[in-house]
Amino acid sequence: QCLSISALGKSELAARLPSAAAALAFSLLCLSLGARLYGQRAGLHAGLAAAAMLQSAVYARAAVPDMLLALGVLVALWGFAGSGLGERKFNQAWRSYLGLYLGCALGFLAKGPLGAILPGLTVFLFFVLSRDWRGMARLGLVRGAVIFLVAAAPWFVWMYGRHGMSFITEIFLNRNIQHYFTDRWQHEGPLYYYLPVLLAGTFPWTAALAGGLTRTAGAVRGIVLGREPDKEARSGLFLWCWLFGMLMFFSFSRAKLPNYVLPLYPALAVLAGRFMADLEEGVSRRARLLFGWGTALAALAALTAGLVILPRK
């Protein structure tokens, strides 16, 4: 942001440009992730959904670090997906693991420890639920920690040299630990706070997201019950761990705001993209038209309700 303002002057364009650039990369990586997991057509739909879901479109224009955090988390998990979801050894997939640890560092630089906690939580849940302890051992955690520190530490060392402990206290204590465990900023919400947020934020792909969750539920259940997984089942479990692991993490936070769950949206986009690709291939043109017009009518109903409700807020 400082570089953008230095180059373009103090303007809304300069302040918002980093988020817009991050959102573009975010959409392209969602396209790539969808293609890695489910094929090119699903990837195309995932990229389109990521670019035009309500919440990602809003925060692509916001002069806040949330889109950069979401991009860092996505880079990390995109790298992990490139490793065959942990099936290859570190030396065989070092480029993918490089993405995993550099993505964690990018997210850490954007918004502190969440940049490493969120990808780490997803990967940990994936290995636990799939009972793939060898995959966890193949992550190369020691070398990964070195990559992470080389990428992230210099900035914090420099800022500590300039500002002392006040910078470290603000980033780690005030903006992370106190945000999660206290209501100091009075952003409290109920445990189910993020469910309506995600339903609205994924619009107009909400119905496609529900379809994607339904299509992958059987394979995920099979892995959890001990069935030998194939590639598609592992992909489904990976996305479910991404979605529900982070959702539970944020739901138990004392402070709740809609922008906090932006790192979940790549999983939502890929699940919706997978369903849309299946819809293209497996149903008649009439069914696709009904789905499209049904979504459009739902959008009209939501808009009408919003015009009535929002002026009161």
Side-chain angles (χ1 to χ4, degrees):
Q1 236 170 10
C2 290
L3 290 171
S4 179
I5 290 171
S6 297
L8 301 175
K10 293 180 180 179
S11 65
E12 287 195 22
L13 170 63
R16 297 173 193 264
L17 189 59
S19 289
L24 177 60
F26 179 86
S27 301
L28 293 172
L29 276 181
C30 282
L31 187 154
S32 177
L33 178 65
R36 277 182 171 179
L37 297 181
Y38 294 117
Q40 292 186 356
R41 200 67 190 171
L44 176 61
H45 283 293
L48 291 171
M53 282 181 173
L54 178 61
Q55 192 159 350
S56 58
V58 167
Y59 284 98
R61 297 170 50 82
V64 293
D66 294 273
M67 187 56 78
L68 284 166
L69 170 65
L71 176 61
V73 172
L74 173 55
V75 169
L77 294 175
W78 173 82
F80 178 66
S83 73
L85 299 179
E87 289 188 320
R88 304 191 194 105
K89 294 181 179 179
F90 188 93
N91 291 333
Q92 296 172 332
W94 68 269
R95 292 181 182 176
S96 297
Y97 286 125
L98 187 66
L100 171 62
Y101 295 114
L102 286 178
C104 288
L106 175 61
F108 200 98
L109 288 166
K111 217 172 180 183
L114 280 178
I117 290 171
L118 297 176
L121 175 64
T122 300
V123 172
F124 176 75
L125 281 176
F126 174 79
F127 283 131
V128 169
L129 292 177
S130 62
R131 301 176 184 84
D132 186 5
W133 312 115
R134 290 183 179 179
M136 189 180 296
R138 288 194 291 263
L139 284 176
L141 292 175
V142 174
R143 283 177 285 184
V146 172
I147 294 169
F148 174 85
L149 288 172
V150 167
W155 170 256
F156 290 93
V157 172
W158 184 32
M159 288 293 101
Y160 177 78
R162 293 193 63 179
H163 304 291
M165 279 303 297
S166 60
F167 178 81
I168 303 300
T169 300
E170 179 68 15
I171 292 294
F172 291 96
L173 180 62
N174 295 346
R175 295 296 168 181
N176 280 275
I177 296 174
Q178 290 190 0
H179 250 68
Y180 194 86
F181 292 105
T182 74
D183 61 348
R184 176 182 173 185
W185 282 268
Q186 298 182 340
H187 294 156
E188 284 193 290
L191 195 63
Y192 60 82
Y193 176 90
Y194 288 114
L195 293 178
V197 168
L198 293 177
L199 289 174
T202 53
F203 191 83
W205 278 270
T206 311
L209 168 62
L213 285 169
T214 302
R215 292 289 179 93
T216 53
V220 171
R221 180 174 176 271
I223 293 179
V224 173
L225 292 177
R227 191 182 306 160
E228 187 66 28
D230 56 14
K231 180 180 182 297
E232 175 134 344
R234 289 174 68 86
S235 297
L237 179 64
F238 172 60
L239 294 174
W240 275 57
C241 290
W242 188 336
L243 170 57
F244 291 105
M246 292 187 193
L247 180 59
M248 289 182 64
F249 176 85
F250 285 116
S251 294
F252 283 102
S253 171
R254 291 290 297 276
K256 294 181 175 70
L257 286 173
N259 53 299
Y260 291 173
V261 291
L262 198 59
L264 275 72
Y265 278 76
L268 305 177
V270 173
L271 286 165
R274 187 269 169 98
F275 176 78
M276 293 300 294
D278 288 351
L279 196 68
E280 274 192 328
E281 296 174 1
V283 303
S284 67
R285 183 171 180 270
R286 178 180 296 178
R288 293 199 297 272
L289 286 172
L290 285 172
F291 182 84
W293 279 104
T295 303
L297 290 172
L300 183 60
L303 176 62
T304 304
L307 291 174
V308 174
I309 294 170
L310 290 178
R312 301 177 186 174
K313 298 293 184 181

